[in-house]
Amino acid sequence: MSNIAIVGSISMDLVMQTNRIPQEGETVVGDSFSMVPGGKGANQAVAIGRLSNKSDQITMLGAVGKDSFGPLLQANLTANHVCTQHVGTLPAPSGVAQITLYQSDNRIIYYPGANGLVDPNQWRDEWQVITAAELVVLQNEIPHHANLQIAHFCQKHQIPVLYNPAPARETDLEMLDLVTYFTPNQHECQELFPDKNLSEALLTYPEKLIVTLGSKGLTYASKNQVQHIPAIKAQAIDTTGAGDTFNGALGYAIAQGLELTQALRFATLAAHLSVQKFGAQGGMPSLEEMKEHPAYEKAWHFE
Ligand code: RIB
C-alpha cells in the first residue's frame, strides 16, 4: 500500500431525521438525532483507512477546534487507521455540519470552524508528508488558497492529486490544470462549465474529469469516447458520504496501481455499500466487506 495524504475538513455531523421538511417559520418534530463524525476530508480519509487497514500509510492533515468534539474526531480517525499526527488543534470551534435526513437524502448546512483556518503557510513537517505521498486527496471544505498552494506544490513535485470540488466554488477551475483527477457531481460540473454540455466537458478533460451522477453512476472520457459506469442498485438508508466513499475508494485503488476504469468500478461498489447504513462513515466498507460482495471483481486482486 502506498502513502496517501488527505488534506481537508474534519467535522462533527449533527443529524436529525424527519419525515417532513419544515416550511419557513414552522417547527416539526424530528424522528431521531445523532452526532457522528463527518467532514468531507475526514470521510475520505476514513474510507481509505478502512480499505487499507494499515495505520502507518494514511495521513490526515487538517484541524479540529479546542472543544469537546476535537478529541472525539481525532480518536475516530485513529480508530479507522488514519494517522492524526498532523491534525492541529486551533482556537476555534470544530467544524460542524447540520444535516437533515429526509427520505434517505440529506440537506446540509456546514460551518467550517477550525477547518476554515487550515493554512499551509503555517506548515513545516507537513510538506514532508505531502512529498512522501504517492497521492494527495483534496476537497473544498478548507480554504481555496490552501488547496491551490498544495496543488501547485504537488504539480512542482509531480505528486498526483485527486481533487473532489465539493461543495462547488467559483474558483475551482483554477485547480483544474494542477490536479490529476477532478471529480465533481453533475450539478457541480454544470456550474463549472456553463458553456459546455456534459460530453463536451468530459472530452476536453479525458481521464481527468470524472462526473458522478448519483444513483445513475458516473461518466468520464477515455480514448476519445464518453464512458459510463452505472451505479449498483441499492436500498439506500442514508446517502450522506456516498461521494466521499467513492472518492476515498477511488484514491485507494489508484494508489494501489489499478488502472482508471477498474478503479472507478471499485469505487462504485464502495459507494453502493456505503449508502446502506446510517451516517457519512457508517457504511464505508472494509476490503473484506468489498470482497464478500458478488460484484467484487477478480481483476482488482487486492491483498
Ligand atoms: O459529504 C458529506 C459530508 O459533508 C458530511 O459528513 C458533512 O460533514 C458535510 O460537510
Side-chain angles (χ1 to χ4, degrees), residues 136-157:
V136 170
V137 181
L138 302 172
Q139 332 70 33
N140 270 354
E141 290 186 335
I142 59 171
H144 174 66
H145 71 79
N147 276 345
L148 203 55
Q149 194 173 342
I150 296 160
H152 273 293
F153 181 91
C154 289
Q155 190 189 48
K156 188 171 162 202
H157 292 84

Side-chain angles (χ1 to χ4, degrees), residues 208-227:
K208 172 185 280 216
L209 179 61
I210 296 155
V211 180
T212 54
L213 308 170
S215 60
K216 294 199 175 76
L218 67 92
T219 182
Y220 68 110
S222 166
K223 299 183 187 117
N224 291 326
Q225 275 196 333
V226 173
Q227 314 283 345

Side-chain angles (χ1 to χ4, degrees), residues 19-154:
N19 60 16
R20 196 158 69 80
I21 301 288
Q23 303 295 311
E24 191 179 333
E26 187 192 16
T27 302
V28 300
V29 178
D31 292 335
S32 73
F33 172 74
S34 312
M35 275 188 347
V36 287
K40 291 183 193 303
N43 291 344
Q44 295 178 17
V46 167
I48 300 171
R50 230 172 253 177
L51 288 165
S52 86
N53 206 21
K54 295 197 181 72
S55 296
D56 55 348
Q57 288 158 334
I58 315 303
T59 304
M60 178 92 217
L61 294 97
V64 293
K66 243 184 203 152
D67 54 19
S68 56
F69 289 160
L72 295 174
L73 295 171
Q74 297 221 39
N76 174 65
L77 287 166
T78 308
N80 284 286
H81 314 289
V82 179
C83 169
T84 58
Q85 204 184 330
H86 300 283
V87 172
T89 300
L90 300 179
S94 293
V96 167
Q98 181 190 305
I99 302 183
T100 303
L101 191 60
Y102 171 69
Q103 294 183 342
S104 316
D105 263 321
N106 56 68
R107 290 164 169 76
I108 302 179
I109 302 176
Y110 165 63
Y111 176 69
N115 298 314
L117 302 177
V118 170
D119 182 5
N121 292 311
Q122 310 292 326
W123 285 3
R124 291 176 52 175
D125 298 348
E126 286 80 356
W127 289 116
Q128 284 166 19
V129 175
I130 301 282
T131 308
E134 275 136 84
L135 181 73
V136 170
V137 181
L138 302 172
Q139 332 70 33
N140 270 354
E141 290 186 335
I142 59 171
H144 174 66
H145 71 79
N147 276 345
L148 203 55
Q149 194 173 342
I150 296 160
H152 273 293
F153 181 91
C154 289

